[in-house]
C-alpha cells in the first residue's frame, strides 16, 4: 500500500487451509514495510523479532478444523473513527469454515461469496 492511500479503507479475501487437525482461536495480523529499497521491516511471526509485534484477533468462539479444512474470509480494514488516534484500525471479517469434504467438487473461491453471505462475522478495533 502506498503512503498516499494508507489512511483509506482496504479489503481483500483470504483462505487459510489447516495443515493438520487444530482449533482456530483467531487471526493474526502483521505488516511488512519496504523503505524505498533501502531497508525492509517485517513484523511477521517468522521474521526477526522487533519491538513491533503482531496483532492477535480472537474469535468469539473457537473453530475445530481438520487437515484440509479452510477458513475463508472477506477482511476489511479501515481507519478508526477518532481522528486523534491515527494508529487506530477497525477490522471486520465475514468468514466461513469450509470442511475439506464440502469443498470437493466445488470452487472454494472467496471472491465468489459476498461478505454478508458468510456464516460468521467478527469486528475488532486495534491500536
Amino acid at each position: 500500500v502506498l503512503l498516499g492511500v494508507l489512511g483509506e479503507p482496504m479489503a481483500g479475501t483470504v483462505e487459510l487451509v489447516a495443515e493438520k487437525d487444530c482449533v482456530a482461536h483467531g487471526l493474526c495480523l502483521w505488516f511488512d514495510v519496504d523503505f524505498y529499497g533501502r531497508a525492509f521491516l517485517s513484523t511477521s511471526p517468522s521474521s526477526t523479532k522487533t519491538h513491533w509485534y503482531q496483532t492477535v484477533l480472537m474469535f468469539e468462539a473457537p473453530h475445530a478444523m481438520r487437515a484440509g479444512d479452510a477458513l475463508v474470509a472477506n477482511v476489511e480494514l479501515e481507519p478508526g473513527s477518532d481522528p486523534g488516534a491515527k494508529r487506530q484500525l477497525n477490522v471486520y471479517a465475514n468468514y466461513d469454515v469450509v470442511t475439506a469434504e464440502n469443498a470437493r467438487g466445488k470452487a472454494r473461491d472467496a471472491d465468489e461469496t459476498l461478505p454478508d453471505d458468510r456464516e460468521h462475522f467478527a469486528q475488532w478495533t486495534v491500536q
Side-chain angles (χ1 to χ4, degrees):
V1 177
L2 299 175
L3 184 59
V5 295
L6 190 59
E8 297 295 320
M10 62 184 84
T13 55
V14 63
E15 179 176 331
L16 306 169
V17 179
E19 294 180 358
K20 59 183 180 179
D21 293 359
C22 64
V23 177
H25 292 271
L27 300 173
C28 179
L29 302 179
W30 63 87
F31 63 88
D32 298 326
V33 180
D34 181 351
F35 295 100
Y36 304 104
R38 292 186 216 137
F40 182 79
L41 169 68
S42 176
T43 61
S44 163
S46 60
S47 293
T48 304
K49 187 176 177 180
T50 71
H51 70 283
W52 294 92
Y53 294 96
Q54 301 83 35
T55 297
V56 177
L57 308 173
M58 302 298 292
F59 294 138
E60 200 168 292
H63 299 283
M65 298 177 70
R66 300 196 52 125
D69 291 354
L71 190 141
V72 184
N74 299 86
V75 179
E76 298 177 48
L77 308 173
E78 69 176 21
S81 58
D82 180 0
K86 294 188 185 285
R87 290 179 26 191
Q88 188 180 57
L89 181 68
N90 295 321
V91 181
Y92 307 97
N94 295 67
Y95 66 97
D96 294 321
V97 177
V98 181
T99 64
E101 293 81 25
N102 288 342
R104 286 194 191 112
K106 61 182 178 180
R108 192 165 59 185
D109 190 347
D111 292 328
E112 293 179 9
T113 303
L114 297 173
D116 290 343
D117 293 336
R118 299 216 178 270
E119 183 177 355
H120 303 283
F121 172 77
Q123 174 181 342
W124 305 271
T125 298
V126 297
Q127 291 262 31

